[in-house]
């Protein structure tokens, strides 16, 4: 087991990868630097290898697929995940590692949004999207993660080996954040300086398509992790619609003693039944989700035992 593993997922980062690898070798000389190449066509892998990194490959395209491969293959007491575009400072790595190894923090989040991100980033829709995602998750899950989409994080062995990677692309950071909050893992934020990509280096993130995937992921995970709240809101909405349709029919009945709008009455009845069905679905799924959290704690004990065995 490595003590510290620096994980760098890469796709066509030949312009910056050498500097990133050398910066991390300088800041954390005891760490093993892993570069996982994701079908780069510009020689990123060879440059990283010459700079001193251990180069491996993931042929399924997408950042989520790369991180899944990394987490499966590498065993370490502490993991640092960093992008290969030289937008994050390696100088904060030591502090992040210390939080994991000395304070038993499960995930340390490199917070760009509280420092220079909005000044350095030249894509206004990215700024808006980051703020929207952060606000949505912190409100829905009652958390205080200051930067949901950051690619600069540190993890404990327990987090990495118990985290089920389901996303294939850039929504992976959102999935990590929600998983940590839902499973009551120790999370801390560290404010970092952010610098925009150097000229000639292009972001692989599509503002609109990837942004939609992130929002879709938030909705999916909210439904899975907080089913009572999700289906409770659906039930309330259906009940309000049913009431809005039923009340005028009821008023007309009291006024003239007749029900002239039977179709409206029937539809309102079906809407009320759907509201009840949604409510009971939320209650059942909430019980299942609670059971899953209990089972996760038992699995986490097994992961910790595996870690102790490997250290011994």
């Amino acid at each position: 087991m490595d003590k510290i593993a620096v994980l760098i997922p890469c796709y066509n980062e030949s312009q910056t990868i050498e500097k990133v690898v050398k910066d991390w070798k300088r800041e954390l000389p005891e760490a093993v630097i892993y570069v996982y190449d994701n079908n780069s066509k510009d020689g990123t892998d060879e440059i990283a290898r010459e700079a001193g990194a251990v180069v491996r490959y993931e042929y399924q395209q997408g950042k989520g697929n790369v991180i899944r491969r990394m987490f499966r293959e590498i065993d370490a007491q502490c993991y640092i995940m960093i992008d290969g575009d030289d937008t994050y400072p390696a100088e904060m790595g030591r502090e992040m590692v210390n939080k994991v190894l000395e304070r038993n923090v499960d995930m340390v989040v490199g917070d760009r949004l509280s420092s220079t991100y909005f000044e350095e980033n030249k894509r206004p829709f990215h700024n808006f999207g980051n703020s929207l995602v952060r606000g949505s998750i912190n409100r829905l899950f009652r958390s205080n993660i200051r930067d949901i989409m950051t690619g600069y994080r540190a993890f404990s062995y327990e987090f990495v080996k118990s985290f089920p990677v389901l996303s294939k692309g850039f929504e992976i950071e959102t999935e990590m954040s929600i998983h940590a909050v839902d499973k009551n893992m120790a999370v801390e934020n560290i404010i970092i300086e952010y610098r925009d990509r150097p000229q000639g280096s292009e972001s692989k993130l599509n503002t609109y398509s990837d942004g939609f995937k992130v929002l879709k992921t938030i909705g999916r995970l909210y439904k899975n992790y907080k089913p009572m709240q999700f289906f409770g809101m659906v039930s309330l909405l259906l009940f309000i619609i049913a009431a809005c349709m039923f009340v005028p029919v009821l008023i007309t009945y009291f006024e003239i003693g007749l029900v002239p709008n039977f179709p409206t009455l029937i539809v309102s009845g079906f809407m009320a039944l759907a509201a009840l069905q949604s409510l009971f679905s939320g209650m059942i799924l909430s019980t299942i989700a609670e059971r899953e959290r209990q089972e996760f704690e038992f699995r986490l004990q097994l992961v910790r035992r595996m870690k102790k065995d490997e250290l011994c």
Side-chain angles (χ1 to χ4, degrees):
M1 177 183 288
D2 301 325
K3 183 176 182 180
I4 305 170
V6 177
L7 311 181
I8 310 176
C10 276
Y11 174 61
N12 290 340
E13 298 292 1
S14 60
Q15 185 173 346
T16 55
I17 188 60
E18 181 179 8
K19 181 178 183 300
V20 172
V21 172
K22 289 182 176 180
D23 285 352
W24 282 96
K25 289 180 74 68
R26 182 187 68 248
E27 296 297 327
L28 295 174
E30 73 274 32
V32 181
I33 315 295
Y34 294 93
V35 171
Y36 272 69
D37 185 78
N38 194 206
N39 302 311
S40 295
K41 299 175 177 63
D42 62 353
T44 296
D45 54 344
E46 290 301 325
I47 297 172
R49 189 177 288 109
E50 291 174 4
V54 177
V55 178
R56 296 181 180 177
Y57 298 88
E58 170 54 50
Y59 298 105
Q60 291 190 83
Q61 198 66 41
K63 187 174 183 179
N65 291 324
V66 179
I67 291 173
R68 183 186 301 108
R69 179 71 61 187
M70 290 174 162
F71 285 4
R72 285 178 183 174
E73 293 184 351
I74 298 172
D75 294 328
Q77 296 178 50
C78 175
Y79 301 78
I80 294 279
M81 186 181 77
I82 189 76
D83 291 341
D85 55 10
D86 193 34
T87 55
Y88 301 112
E91 291 76 14
M92 301 302 296
R94 179 66 64 184
E95 183 178 354
M96 298 174 81
V97 166
N98 290 339
K99 285 184 177 293
V100 173
L101 295 180
E102 297 176 7
R103 292 171 52 87
N104 296 319
V105 176
D106 290 299
M107 183 172 73
V108 184
V109 177
D111 174 16
R112 311 160 298 170
L113 305 187
S114 299
S115 61
T116 56
Y117 182 80
F118 294 108
E119 291 78 25
E120 286 287 326
N121 186 35
K122 305 303 188 297
R123 294 152 292 183
F125 284 106
H126 284 208
N127 298 341
F128 171 75
N130 271 284
S131 299
L132 175 64
V133 170
R134 177 178 62 176
S136 299
I137 289 180
N138 285 334
R139 285 183 177 86
L140 291 174
F141 293 89
R142 298 180 181 178
S143 60
N144 188 34
I145 298 179
R146 307 309 303 163
D147 190 348
I148 302 298
M149 300 293 293
T150 180
Y152 193 7
R153 299 171 190 249
F155 306 105
S156 66
Y157 178 87
E158 289 80 1
F159 180 94
V160 166
K161 297 304 179 182
S162 65
F163 173 55
V165 182
L166 302 179
S167 299
K168 298 179 181 179
F170 285 101
E171 62 271 28
I172 183 65
E173 285 95 353
T174 303
E175 190 176 329
M176 288 175 174
S177 302
I178 294 176
H179 173 79
V181 171
D182 181 72
K183 296 303 186 290
N184 198 31
M185 291 189 159
V187 179
E188 290 194 13
N189 303 284
I190 286 184
I191 296 177
I192 62 167
E193 298 293 320
Y194 175 86
R195 51 182 177 257
D196 204 9
R197 282 174 170 268
Q199 189 173 3
S201 177
E202 296 182 1
S203 173
K204 316 306 182 297
L205 178 66
N206 184 289
T207 303
Y208 301 103
S209 63
D210 288 312
F212 176 75
K213 289 178 184 177
V214 168
L215 294 177
K216 183 179 177 182
T217 298
I218 294 173
R220 173 175 60 84
L221 295 178
Y222 186 64
K223 173 180 68 69
N224 293 343
Y225 288 153
K226 303 286 186 181
M228 188 65 243
Q229 290 88 326
F230 180 86
F231 287 101
M233 288 191 296
V234 173
S235 176
L236 179 62
L237 178 62
L238 291 173
F239 181 78
I240 291 173
I241 294 173
C244 290
M245 298 176 71
F246 176 73
V247 168
V249 175
L250 183 64
I251 292 174
T252 301
Y253 174 76
F254 283 138
E255 289 177 347
I256 65 175
L258 298 173
V259 181
N261 297 319
F262 265 105
T264 303
L265 179 63
I266 293 171
V267 171
S268 68
F270 277 113
M271 295 291 283
L273 289 175
L276 287 174
Q277 186 179 30
S278 180
L279 178 63
F280 284 112
S281 295
M283 294 171 64
I284 294 169
L285 292 173
S286 180
T287 302
I288 295 173
E290 182 64 27
R291 179 66 177 176
E292 166 60 24
R293 292 189 189 96
Q294 294 172 357
E295 291 178 355
F296 174 82
E297 290 298 323
F298 288 115
R299 294 198 300 271
L300 199 57
Q301 294 299 323
L302 294 176
V303 170
R304 288 173 178 151
R305 192 172 302 151
M306 289 168 54
K307 178 184 177 182
K308 290 181 180 179
D309 291 342
E310 290 201 35
L311 290 174
C312 293

